[in-house]
Amino acid sequence: MTGHHVDDQRLKALLESLLFAAGEPVTLARLEDAIQEAPRDQIRSALSRMASEYSAGGRGLVLEEVGGGYQLRTRKEFAQQVRKLLAAKPPRLSRPLLETLAIIAYRQPITGPEIEHLRGVDSSGVLDTLLDRRLVRIAGRKEAPGRPIIYATTPEFLEAFGLKELDSLPDLKDFQELQRAAEEAGEMRHESNEPGPAVAAAPEQSDDPSDPKQSE
């Protein structure tokens, strides 16, 4: 039956079930592979209609394209209540973490020594933390003396900041505003063993906020 058009209402109900169960962004290719009954164009159109219906229907969830996939997420105005229900403490993005993350996001792929040169301090511990939080990844090694490790951001970074893709990044000087917006929108997904839609648990602002360093 692959490639056959199916009833639109049934398709939307099926997509809703798949996205709810996944609890993370699901690519169009994965949805097509799971459904098999409908062609990609019909699935894409159904997702677009679902997003409009969620947005216009005054419901508690929204359907967003984020991190290279589609995801059901709680509405930003309910972030505080959802966090309270789950008793989820948002992961803290301190000044060094935010500064290093900004450098990687805007200059990737970038090596550890290049990051340290821009920051002016040793960054190994900060990089380890960002790796542990899956906000950055090791993207290989540079063909240079010592073959330094290359770093890049992850799909989890896009998800955490509510970005569809890296091209959606604002100007570097606005990066911290993006972090604040993510906090208000509750975009940092609560890490839970229970499947379900993304819930509000955003990065917490540092006590001593500072714009990421910019290098000429």
Side-chain angles (χ1 to χ4, degrees), residues 41-189:
D41 287 346
Q42 187 185 8
I43 295 173
R44 184 186 289 110
S45 296
L47 288 166
S48 179
R49 288 193 294 274
M50 287 171 63
S52 297
E53 290 167 4
Y54 272 106
S55 179
R59 302 168 69 174
L61 300 176
V62 294
L63 175 57
E64 295 183 346
E65 194 172 353
V66 60
Y70 296 85
Q71 184 177 31
L72 287 173
R73 319 190 81 171
T74 55
R75 298 185 73 92
K76 63 181 181 180
E77 57 262 42
F78 304 140
Q80 181 179 355
Q81 292 89 339
V82 174
R83 282 200 299 267
K84 184 176 180 180
L85 173 67
L86 297 173
K89 184 177 180 179
R92 183 180 183 84
L93 281 184
S94 64
R95 176 180 173 181
L97 287 174
L98 182 60
E99 178 180 270
T100 306
L101 185 58
I103 290 172
I104 296 172
Y106 287 94
R107 295 179 178 269
Q108 62 185 309
I110 185 171
T111 67
E114 290 169 341
I115 294 169
E116 293 181 354
H117 173 73
L118 291 171
R119 295 192 64 227
V121 295
D122 177 79
S123 300
S124 56
V126 174
L127 288 169
D128 286 342
T129 300
L130 292 174
L131 286 168
D132 288 341
R133 295 190 181 184
R134 297 168 62 184
L135 293 172
V136 303
R137 63 184 175 87
I138 294 175
R141 288 183 176 271
K142 187 173 182 178
E143 293 301 327
R147 302 191 70 239
I149 293 174
I150 298 171
Y151 295 91
T153 55
T154 63
E156 286 83 359
F157 164 78
L158 296 175
E159 182 183 351
F161 287 93
L163 297 171
K164 178 180 177 181
E165 54 194 9
L166 286 175
D167 288 344
S168 303
L169 280 168
D171 292 338
L172 180 56
K173 62 184 177 63
D174 296 327
F175 185 83
Q176 202 162 30
E177 285 299 320
L178 174 65
Q179 195 244 348
R180 265 194 292 270
E183 181 178 1
E184 294 171 0
E187 295 291 351
M188 180 67 83
R189 180 171 174 268

Side-chain angles (χ1 to χ4, degrees), residues 15-28:
L15 287 168
E16 187 175 49
S17 296
L18 293 173
L19 293 172
F20 180 86
E24 63 181 8
V26 184
T27 64
L28 189 60

